[in-house]
Structures are given as C-alpha cells and as structure tokens.
Amino acid sequence: MVAAQDISHSQRIGTPADRRARITGVVLIGLALFVAGVFSIGVTGDATFRLSRPNDVWAIPNLVLPAAPFNYIIAAVLAFLGARQFLRGGGRWTTLSLGVGLALVVAAFLVWATAGKAFSLTGMLQATMVRAVPLVLGAITGMMCERVGVVNIAIEGMLLAGAFTGALMGSLLGGVGGLIAAIGIGGLFGFILAALVVTYRMDQIIAGVVINLFVLGLTSYVSSQVFAEHRFLNNAPVFRAYKVPILGDIPVIGPMFFNQNLFVYGALVMVGVATYYLFYTRMGLRARSIGEHPRAADTLGINVYRTRYINVTVAGMIAGFGGAWFTLGSVGRFDENMTGGRGFIALAAMLFGRYHPVGALMAALVFGFADSMQQKLALLQTPIPSEFLSMAPYIATIIVVAGVVGRTRTPAAGGKPYIKE
C-alpha cells in the first residue's frame, strides 16, 4: 500500500527533469508578463541602434526597432517558450529555453531603455570585449590551477598585484617594462601560492585569502602614502589600439575583435594556447590526470609536485598580464582596489565555462556585456538609479553561478593536498 502511494506520488510530481522544466516554464511566463507590463505598455518611439561609425569603410544602416511592438513580440515568444516547457515536461531543451529567455529579456530591456533615443551598438560590443579581458584571463588562471588540483582563490590578489606593478614599473621603465614586471610579479605570487599549498600543504582557500589580503593592504598603503606625494610613480603609458588591416573594417565584428590593444589580442591568443595545451598535448593530459587522480599519475611516473608548481606559477603570470590591463591597457594609473572583485567574477566565468578556455571566453563576454551595458545605460539617462546599474555585472554573476552550481563537474582532486608515500 505504501509502495503504491509512493509510485502514485512520483507519477504526480514527475521526474526531477520534469520539475525543473515546469519551474522554468513558470519563470518564462512570469518574464513574459513582466516584459509586456513594464517594457511595453506606455512605451513610445523607436529604438535606434547604430551599427556603423562615421569613419567606417563599410557602413551599414542603423537598426531601428519600434519599441512597444517589438517588446510585445518578445513577450509572446517568452510565453510560448514557458508554456511549452510547462506542458511538455523535462528534456534537453530546458536550459536552452531559459538561456534564450534571459537573452530575450535583455534585448527587451535594451529596446525599452533606448526608446526614442539612439546609441552605438558597435561601441557597446567593442567595450564588451575590452571589459572581458581581465575576466577571461582570470578564468584561465583559475583553470590552469584547478586542472592540477589547486583551488586558486588568489586570482583577485594576483590581478591587483599586476595592476599595481604595471603602473609603478610602467611609469619608470615604459609600457613594455611595466608589462614584463606585471607578468613577473604575477608569476611570483603564483609560485608563493604553489609553495604554500603544495610543499607546506596549507589549506588552499586560506592561502588564497592570505594573498588577497596581503596584496590589497600593501597596494592600498603605497597608493595612499607614496603615490599621493610622488605622482610621477603613477603615470604609466597606455597601450593604444591597433587595427588589423581588412579584418578591422568588417562591420560590427571588426571593431569588437580586430581594432583593440595588445591585451585583447593577448587574451584571445591565450584562449587558443590554453585550449591546445590542456586538451591536445601530452603535458596537458598529465596535468589533467593530476587534477583527477594524483596518486595514479604518480604511479605512472608523473612528477605531481613539479607539475603543480609549473601550472600554478604560469597561471600567476597569466593573471599578472590580466592585471596590467587595468593600468597599462586602460587608464595608465593605479587606484586603490581598482580590480573591484573581477578576480571573483573570473571564478564564476571559469565555472560557467565548465573549465574550458573557450567556455570561459563566452562567459567573460556575458559579464563584459553586463559591465558595458550599465555604462551605456547611464549615458542614455534611463530612469534607473546609477547604483542599480553598477550592480549589473554582479547580478549577472549571481544568476550564472546559481544556474551552474551542481551541474559543473569539478576536478576530483581539487583542493586536496597530495602526500607522496
């Protein structure tokens, strides 16, 4: 009797996939009502998105959308997706439907904010790529460490150290000297982290927090006590953008990927290099085996300690390069805590990208888009307080992490010290 009741209850509530699908359906229908009620009713005018700039070689017409009708269409699509998920139950399309729904809501929001106005969509996408640079480099940093079983919470401190060193040494030695010094200081902190967690078997989370606090305290002190009196130490040159011939003239895509500075090109190259290293080389296979089962790797003759030292140190160098973007690739000066938590957002990008460099790039572009969007909306003078706009990238981080927690498989040996017998 009890078993029959359990079966009947299971049939009523369905499988976990069915429950997730129904919840997704309810969420999508709620978003449809929100878009129809907030972003459509009473909205007048057209939203104009400029796809070309005055000096572009190949100009394309502006994208003009009637705000209210366009958002009503989006609301209808959201309602259809929600009803489909709610009625059909579980399936492989649940996550995709939710992702498409969130993208449609963002599109409706942009159209609502731009109604009766115009702004450069090309410029926004270009800014998206720029702001994704420290995130994708930070995500690759964490990935290089976690693939060998080391949890790197110190990405924020490594980025901050790279930014500080880039500004200081860039002011004294020029841009190239500052960049080399930033990469070196990142590698130094990577080596320190490796020594703490590999040799001395310190708790990896605590080791990362210690590095973050140390770098934050040291750079804040020097910034307030030294840079304030000796301004010439905080006046570094900035690497200018270089347009790739022909490719940089492609509408929309060209300015985003092929009219950028050294750091953007370096980040894209690093994505390719990291992908090749981790998944297509013998050393990458050994590194990943250490992250999954270090004792088995040791049995096969792989030096676990040395591999972890190398990967964590190189990861620190990547973070130092990413940190230099804040100063040598952006403003040319260092400000206290100027990384603003980007190292922790990079960890979210690593999770969202499922420990793959290309996935991390896609996730970094999502966060970069949220970051650039809040600046564009501030220029459009939308009726949203600036404090809420500044929360956009962090809200995106919360949503993304909430969606991937429990679904991303982490390396089995992550965070566990290895003791050679």
Side-chain angles (χ1 to χ4, degrees):
M1 183 67 180
V2 174
Q5 290 177 348
D6 290 340
I7 293 174
S8 177
H9 178 69
S10 177
Q11 291 175 344
R12 288 198 304 271
I13 65 175
T15 65
D18 291 333
R19 292 195 294 271
R20 286 196 300 270
R22 285 196 290 268
I23 293 173
T24 300
V26 172
V27 170
L28 290 173
I29 292 173
L31 290 175
L33 296 174
F34 180 79
V35 169
V38 177
F39 295 156
S40 304
I41 296 177
V43 179
T44 58
D46 296 333
T48 303
F49 299 95
R50 292 192 294 270
L51 303 179
S52 300
R53 295 171 297 182
N55 58 346
D56 285 350
V57 176
W58 299 324
I60 57 178
N62 296 335
L63 177 64
V64 181
L65 300 173
F70 180 81
N71 283 349
Y72 277 126
I73 293 174
I74 286 184
V77 173
L78 287 171
F80 169 77
L81 291 175
R84 183 178 182 276
Q85 284 296 312
F86 188 84
L87 295 175
R88 297 190 63 177
R92 61 180 180 175
W93 302 108
T94 300
T95 302
L96 178 61
S97 297
L98 184 59
V100 171
L102 292 175
L104 290 175
V105 172
V106 172
F109 175 70
L110 283 176
V111 170
W112 169 79
T114 317
K117 305 170 188 174
F119 85 95
S120 174
L121 183 61
T122 300
M124 183 176 178
L125 294 177
Q126 189 175 19
T128 295
M129 186 65 240
V130 171
R131 295 186 174 277
V133 167
L135 303 180
V136 66
L137 291 172
I140 293 175
T141 298
M143 196 179 308
M144 291 284 290
C145 295
E146 297 236 13
R147 283 293 184 178
V148 294
V150 176
V151 176
N152 188 354
I153 301 297
I155 299 174
E156 177 76 4
M158 293 176 180
L159 290 175
L160 192 60
F164 174 81
T165 306
L168 175 60
M169 301 308 294
S171 302
L172 297 174
L173 304 176
V176 176
L179 180 59
I180 294 174
I183 295 173
I185 198 68
L188 175 62
F189 277 107
F191 182 83
I192 292 173
L193 177 63
L196 291 176
V197 303
V198 176
T199 301
Y200 298 103
R201 304 188 189 100
M202 184 176 180
D203 184 274
Q204 296 179 8
I205 303 299
I206 294 176
V209 172
V210 167
I211 291 177
N212 287 337
L213 294 178
F214 172 77
V215 174
L216 176 61
L218 179 61
T219 56
S220 298
Y221 172 78
V222 176
S223 177
S224 61
Q225 300 298 320
V226 179
F227 286 173
E229 297 183 5
H230 306 283
R231 297 183 182 275
F232 72 94
L233 295 175
N234 194 19
N235 187 24
V238 176
F239 285 93
R240 301 301 178 185
Y242 171 77
K243 184 173 73 171
V244 178
I246 302 178
L247 295 178
D249 294 325
I250 300 175
V252 183
I253 301 299
M256 182 178 181
F257 292 105
F258 305 111
N259 189 10
Q260 300 282 7
N261 61 21
L262 171 68
F263 293 93
V264 175
Y265 298 135
L268 294 175
V269 169
M270 191 58 62
V271 169
V273 171
T275 301
Y276 180 76
Y277 164 71
L278 287 173
F279 300 101
Y280 298 97
T281 67
R282 182 179 300 177
M283 292 180 61
L285 176 61
R286 291 176 176 177
R288 289 186 289 123
S289 67
I290 289 173
E292 295 295 336
H293 202 311
R295 191 164 304 283
D298 193 4
T299 303
L300 295 174
I302 301 173
N303 192 320
V304 176
Y305 292 163
R306 183 176 64 188
T307 304
R308 285 185 170 179
Y309 261 96
I310 293 174
N311 274 261
V312 177
T313 302
V314 172
M317 297 172 69
I318 296 172
F321 178 74
W325 171 87
F326 290 93
T327 49
L328 299 177
S330 182
V331 296
R333 56 170 287 117
F334 178 82
D335 293 314
E336 183 177 348
N337 195 25
M338 69 183 308
T339 52
R342 294 301 191 278
F344 301 110
I345 297 180
L347 285 173
M350 177 190 70
L351 290 171
F352 187 54
R354 298 181 184 273
Y355 297 92
H356 195 288
V358 177
L361 173 62
M362 298 298 104
L365 288 174
V366 172
F367 297 129
F369 180 82
D371 200 358
S372 61
M373 183 176 67
Q374 60 98 1
Q375 287 198 338
K376 287 292 184 181
L377 294 180
L379 294 176
L380 291 174
Q381 297 180 346
T382 56
I384 301 177
S386 59
E387 293 80 6
F388 284 97
L389 293 177
S390 299
M391 293 165 56
Y394 306 100
I395 293 175
T397 303
I398 294 173
I399 294 174
V400 166
V401 172
V404 301
V405 167
R407 301 183 185 181
T408 300
R409 181 183 175 276
T410 62
K416 301 175 183 178
Y418 176 67
I419 302 175
K420 185 178 178 65
E421 293 182 353

